[in-house]
Amino acid sequence: MAAIVARALVKHFSQEIKAVDGIDLDIPEGQVFGFLGQNGSGKTTTVRMLTTLLKPTSGSAEVGGVDVLAHPERIRRSVGVAMQEVGLDEVQTGRELLTLQARLFDVPGPVARTRAGNLLDVVGLAGDADRPLKGYSGGMKRRLDLACALIHEPRIVFLDEPTTGLDPITREAMWRYVEDLNKGGVTFFLTTQYLEEADRLCDDIAIMDRGQIVAKGSPEALKSSIGTDAITLGLGSAEDAGLAEPLLRRFEGVDSLQVQGAQVILYLKNGAAAVAPLVLALAEANVKVEDLRLRQATLDDVFLRATGHHLETGDQGQGRL
Amino acid sequence: MRFLRDTILLMNRALREAIRQPANEIGNAFIPLFFYAVTVGAVGDVAREAFGVSDYKGFQLPVAILQGAAGVAGGAGLAMTLDIQSGYFEKLLLTSTPRLAIVGGRMLADGVKSVILCTLIVAMALAFGSGFETGPVGMVALVLSGGVFALCYSGIGVAIALKTGSPQAAQAGFLLFFPLLFLAPTFAPLDVFATWLEVIARANPVTYILEGMRALVTGGWQWGSLLKGSAAILGMGVVTWTMTAMALRGRAAGG
């Protein structure tokens, strides 16, 4: 059974602002599905529609087999959500907040208290459980927020940029936790700006750009769709790149290429074997190669190919693999 | 049943918040007690001669009750905006709790805080030498009516908070109370008012609330005044709760 299905889902805030512009989703149970895109691409709006916080302008969606418009209260009972902005009541302690959260999901009192204690332990906050949240660090709040999303043991969990702003150690811990839960059958719908996160966690990925899904598939399939390897050529100038482009497009084995200023990125199956003939061909055409790098294709390459621009995360070093 | 249980859970959360951040509550207690002491001190001795009120301490007690209750009732709207801004309100919307319980818990907490404050005000007025015609039962009725008034009045701030998400706008809901209070027989009985002011005062629901409460303190079990006062509080409640429910629906729909 599909965990999440959407058909022609649209959200327009005005004539000009088309946040989500007709997307289709089919996410099987037990999958970690990644929604990759820049800020403003429509990821969060999609999550808000699927979790009943926002009504779609048109289209339909089902979560856990339940229509989001017809039975929003049933959806809320069955899904866990951690939004991008950690929304917590800072006056309460971690234990109070989690217990209240469980009770508001109709979990009986004694069970709620036990679960809160267990989850605090799992997310590494047992020692701080009885301190007010105002003394928690950003990473601690993020972990508590994740615990809030899981306190009623949902089978489908939406995480909207769950590791944005976290330090690498906390990020790694969050990833491990998601992986463990996923092994237990929990479906995750994860939005992220981090390619590494998508590559590591996700079974399938959709790349979102300007409200539309522009590429979809498993990370491996997406990468192989553009060629296994990537050769980045630094040429003398943008004119040189323009001159070289027709030649490079005809070059044997090249699946696709991207020109960005004086830089040309070639995607091909066997990059190592292509390097020498490539340099020779360019030399014969009087195109000077100033720099050449061979590497495996990454999701960033997929993103570039699909959207025409790199994924900018605003968090240095995390966007690229 | 679920609604009631969740409302109480969320009320407890709001009360915990008040206990851990007592500054607002201290402010809410100080203002009515201060005005009560100052007004009684300034006018008390001449009240009988000026407008025929022999127990001015008792006459002013309902004013302090209403001031205190309105001050407390301003808290729910402000707290709601803080929840909205922090994102916690959205987290509550994502639970399976009935959505009215989210605002109901806050408003009920205001009612409870108001009962505590009104008890303090009554105790202070008695210590000052105020009479109380209806005795301990009347005192309980007065304190409870202060709580119900807060529960009703808090709907204004909560509705504004839900509509705007702005703390400044939500606090303006509390400021609305002052014209209502001063256009009622707050410092003197209606029969000494200028005609134009009396006309306005008679159209003001606070007049009937004040007179109903005043009957408990200085007049005895005057059922006519008590019924009118109760009707005014409940009428105000119907209006503010309707506003709140509509604003909640708008915010929960999310645009």
Side-chain angles (χ1 to χ4, degrees), chain A residues 53-308:
Chain A
L53 282 175
L54 206 55
K55 282 188 179 149
T57 305
S58 63
S60 64
E62 286 184 6
V63 177
V66 179
D67 189 296
V68 293
L69 280 174
H71 303 289
E73 66 295 331
R74 279 175 59 194
I75 304 253
R76 286 195 286 274
R77 264 199 295 272
S78 63
V79 305
V81 188
M83 297 303 286
Q84 190 177 347
E85 301 296 330
V86 177
L88 299 171
D89 172 11
E90 301 219 331
V91 180
Q92 302 205 64
T93 68
R95 191 185 306 281
E96 285 167 350
L97 190 99
L98 265 185
T99 308
L100 176 62
Q101 190 77 1
R103 299 286 285 128
L104 295 178
F105 276 110
D106 213 14
V107 177
V111 181
R113 283 186 284 279
T114 306
R115 265 194 216 168
N118 292 343
L119 263 178
L120 284 162
D121 205 22
V122 168
V123 297
L125 292 172
D128 300 285
D130 298 309
R131 278 204 299 135
L133 267 57
K134 60 176 73 163
Y136 281 29
S137 68
M140 290 163 81
K141 286 179 188 167
R142 185 67 81 173
R143 281 182 278 152
L144 185 65
D145 196 39
L146 180 64
C148 280
L150 300 169
I151 191 75
H152 56 299
E153 299 183 342
R155 301 302 296 163
I156 301 170
V157 176
F158 291 83
L159 302 177
D160 190 12
E161 303 201 9
T163 60
T164 297
L166 290 188
D167 62 82
I169 294 168
T170 311
R171 180 172 294 156
E172 177 64 33
M174 289 280 273
W175 289 349
R176 275 204 303 270
Y177 191 44
V178 169
E179 284 167 340
D180 287 347
L181 284 166
N182 180 242
K183 279 178 200 154
V186 176
T187 306
F188 281 90
F189 185 103
L190 177 90
T191 79
T192 183
Q193 300 183 56
Y194 297 150
L195 298 162
E196 186 187 356
E197 187 163 88
D199 215 3
R200 156 95 179 254
L201 290 179
C202 299
D203 301 305
D204 271 327
I205 288 170
I207 293 175
M208 193 82 173
D209 191 45
R210 296 186 188 96
Q212 295 184 323
I213 292 174
V214 291
K216 198 155 53 172
S218 71
E220 290 315 313
L222 286 171
K223 282 186 274 189
S224 65
S225 72
I226 59 165
T228 318
D229 294 336
I231 295 174
T232 306
L233 297 168
L235 305 179
S237 64
E239 287 81 46
D240 281 353
L243 282 172
E245 188 185 345
L247 169 73
L248 294 170
R249 278 197 189 282
R250 290 195 305 274
F251 199 79
E252 195 182 339
V254 170
D255 291 328
S256 61
L257 64 77
Q258 287 280 332
V259 180
Q260 288 197 310
Q263 198 178 63
V264 181
I265 307 171
L266 302 172
Y267 299 104
L268 61 181
K269 293 283 182 302
N270 188 350
V275 170
L278 190 63
V279 173
L280 279 173
L282 288 169
E284 279 171 17
N286 286 324
V287 176
K288 191 181 166 197
V289 178
E290 292 187 343
D291 184 40
L292 185 150
R293 270 174 284 172
L294 171 65
R295 58 181 172 78
Q296 287 192 316
T298 66
L299 279 179
D300 192 28
D301 296 310
V302 176
F303 195 88
L304 177 63
R305 167 92 178 273
T307 66

